[in-house]
Amino acid sequence: MTGGQLVAAAGERFGLFFSVTRSQVYRELPALTEEALLRLGKQGPRASQQYVITARASGRSSTGSPPAATPTPSAARWCCGCCTRGR
């Protein structure tokens, strides 16, 4: 999926609850790639860049088993905060 496709998909799925802007998505894509949660896919027309979810992001190792390590504190960055409100 490209960043534009991600924005459209988020709008379809979450649009009734909150909005996702293009700037939010495009700001996070490089960070997610750097943390090995995404990898670069094919370059598309007009310099669009596809991103692919990695095994690490899907919660599976290359052998298909769940990861042995617990999520790092930086993983909380991706949480909407719903599980930490009121603490």
Side-chain angles (χ1 to χ4, degrees):
M1 273 188 153
T2 65
Q5 290 170 326
L6 287 168
V7 171
E12 290 172 13
R13 289 180 178 87
F14 308 119
L16 295 176
F17 305 104
F18 64 92
S19 63
V20 176
T21 65
R22 293 177 72 86
S23 62
Q24 288 171 315
V25 170
Y26 284 104
R27 178 180 57 232
E28 297 300 334
L29 289 173
L32 291 168
T33 302
E34 190 172 307
E35 291 197 26
L37 297 171
L38 296 177
R39 67 175 172 79
L40 297 178
K42 292 182 182 178
Q43 181 115 19
R46 298 183 308 277
S48 65
Q49 178 65 58
Q50 290 193 2
Y51 291 86
V52 179
I53 296 174
T54 64
R56 179 176 175 212
S58 68
R60 297 283 174 191
S61 69
S62 58
T63 62
S65 61
T70 57
T72 62
S74 66
R77 176 178 183 205
W78 314 117
C79 176
C80 66
C82 62
C83 55
T84 58
R85 287 192 183 116
R87 287 189 183 176

